[in-house]
């Protein structure tokens, strides 16, 4: 897999890459481009750029199908802290993606297990995910697959770790007691089924998870390390998230970035 370190804003670089991939694919109604989508602070800039690219006529979402990674259990789609609401606000209301082409797990479904099963079926029926975008939790979680999740896990109801609830409390007015205890999440296996994976991590809070990926063994204790088992996976990080990498690696990154400051430095893992 590739670790890319970018000096500039991750959002615009990522949105440009997505745009290129979609245009190269040339989606049609018969052959839509299927995107896996994340939520979280890290990807807000990426969504803003995608909206801009749409407004500038660079990107057409009419033949794109999307599947979001996760949703809190128990929150209604109208709840401002739900991922439904996040997606409406950050992306869907600013682009031309038809409503029946975006999918988000329903955290209020009467039968949550049936909801998860149906989600896996819907992904399969769409032909599978071409590009799965994602963020990384401070503890290395991907989607809501907390440490210990099996690499073959599928979409399911999961219990959130206390530290994840604390990290996400900032979206709930800092009140951790309001953060749901459970969520619905695609599995690590669901993510690994995608043709290509592009995950993003920014800020020092993610530096440990990034260093684990770069140096450590492949282990369910750090779900992010599952990306190493995929033939076409990339983790794009900013300079702060690269701060816990060993000095020699950081030195190489600095040299590469000095040569071409607008391009990411690449490390093969
Ligand atoms: C949540 C989401 C993850 C996301 C993570 C990081 O826990 N379920 O999919 O990667 O937050 O979020 P942030 O970008 O806000 O740090």
């Amino acid at each position: 897999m590739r670790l890319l370190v970018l000096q500039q804003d991750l959002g615009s670089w990522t949105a440009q890459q997505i745009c290129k991939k979609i245009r190269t694919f040339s989606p049609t109604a018969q052959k839509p481009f299927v995107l896996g989508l994340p939520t979280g602070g890290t990807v807000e800039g990426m969504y803003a750029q995608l909206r801009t690219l749409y407004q500038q006529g660079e990107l057409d979402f009419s033949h794109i199908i999307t599947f979001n990674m996760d949703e809190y259990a128990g929150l209604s789609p109208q709840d401002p802290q739900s991922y439904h609401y996040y997606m409406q606000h950050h992306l869907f209301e600013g682009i031309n993606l038809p409503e029946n082409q975006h999918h988000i797990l329903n955290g209020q479904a009467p039968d949550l297990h049936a909801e998860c099963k149906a989600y896996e079926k819907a992904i399969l029926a769409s032909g599978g995910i071409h590009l799965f975008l994602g963020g990384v939790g401070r503890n290395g979680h991907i989607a809501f697959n907390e440490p210990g999740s099996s690499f073959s896990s599928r979409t399911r109801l999961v219990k959130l770790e206390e530290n994840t609830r604390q990290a996400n409390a900032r979206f709930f007015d800092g009140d951790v007691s309001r953060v749901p205890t459970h969520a619905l999440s695609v599995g690590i296996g669901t993510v690994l089924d995608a043709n290509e994976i592009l995950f993003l991590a920014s800020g020092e809070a993610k530096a440990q998870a990034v260093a684990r990926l770069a140096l450590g063994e492949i282990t369910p204790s750090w779900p992010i390390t599952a990306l190493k088992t995929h033939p076409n996976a990339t983790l794009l990080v900013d300079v702060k998230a690269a701060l816990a990498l060993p000095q020699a690696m950081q030195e190489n990154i600095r040299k590469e970035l000095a040569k071409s400051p607008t391009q990411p430095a690449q490390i093969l893992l």
Side-chain angles (χ1 to χ4, degrees):
M1 74 164 288
R2 302 186 304 165
L3 173 65
L4 300 181
V5 185
L6 189 61
Q7 204 153 236
Q8 281 149 340
D9 170 39
L10 301 188
S12 40
W13 189 87
T14 310
Q16 289 293 346
Q17 296 301 309
I18 298 166
C19 190
K20 270 190 221 158
K21 285 180 200 299
I22 292 173
R23 285 169 143 211
T24 314
F25 183 89
S26 320
T28 62
Q30 285 71 39
K31 238 182 148 211
F33 190 87
V34 186
L35 257 180
L37 296 179
T39 50
T42 313
V43 288
E44 285 176 12
M46 172 189 87
Y47 285 135
Q49 291 295 326
L50 286 175
R51 289 196 317 264
T52 303
L53 288 171
Y54 165 71
Q55 282 153 13
Q56 292 171 342
E58 300 284 327
L59 202 46
D60 174 14
F61 288 85
S62 56
H63 298 309
I64 290 181
I65 293 181
T66 67
F67 288 91
N68 263 81
M69 304 184 115
D70 44 20
E71 176 58 289
Y72 288 112
L75 294 194
S76 89
Q78 288 75 37
D79 190 312
Q81 274 75 39
S82 73
Y83 289 163
H84 276 80
Y85 190 96
Y86 173 107
M87 289 308 299
Q88 280 301 334
H89 174 70
H90 287 286
L91 186 66
F92 300 154
E93 66 190 22
I95 59 170
N96 66 331
L97 179 68
E99 207 171 317
N100 62 351
Q101 287 171 214
H102 55 76
H103 306 82
I104 307 184
L105 286 152
N106 176 5
Q108 281 197 323
D111 180 343
L112 294 177
H113 298 288
E115 172 71 9
C116 294
K117 257 186 138 176
Y119 206 65
E120 287 279 338
K121 269 197 175 165
I123 294 175
L124 274 182
S126 76
I129 292 176
H130 292 110
L131 174 63
F132 220 131
L133 301 164
V136 182
R138 295 173 194 202
N139 61 2
H141 74 225
I142 55 177
F144 267 134
N145 293 283
E146 297 285 26
S149 302
S150 156
F151 285 2
S152 58
S153 51
R154 311 305 307 187
T155 305
R156 67 206 186 289
L157 176 67
V158 293
K159 187 175 183 316
L160 302 181
E161 297 245 323
E162 256 339 280
N163 56 16
T164 295
R165 294 181 66 233
Q166 269 155 20
N168 289 0
R170 69 191 195 282
F171 297 112
F172 293 78
D173 300 323
D175 182 356
V176 70
S177 71
R178 285 180 49 210
V179 184
T181 54
H182 290 76
L184 302 187
S185 175
V186 295
I188 298 181
T190 320
V191 174
L192 293 177
D193 278 352
N195 294 349
E196 183 174 356
I197 300 175
L198 172 59
F199 274 42
L200 273 61
S202 63
E204 247 183 299
K206 308 292 169 69
Q208 271 314 316
V210 173
R212 275 286 166 164
L213 176 75
L215 294 175
E217 50 172 341
I218 298 172
T219 164
S221 306
W222 289 88
I224 183 69
T225 63
L227 264 53
K228 279 186 174 171
T229 68
H230 190 277
N232 192 5
T234 303
L235 177 67
L236 174 71
V237 307
D238 66 1
V239 176
K240 285 190 174 159
L243 280 177
L245 293 174
Q247 285 307 320
M249 231 184 234
Q250 289 198 49
E251 193 47 43
N252 285 338
I253 292 166
R254 268 195 292 274
K255 276 189 201 149
E256 262 201 64
L257 290 176
K259 263 192 268 161
S260 13
T262 57
Q263 287 309 307
Q266 173 173 297
I267 298 167
L268 293 176
L269 299 176

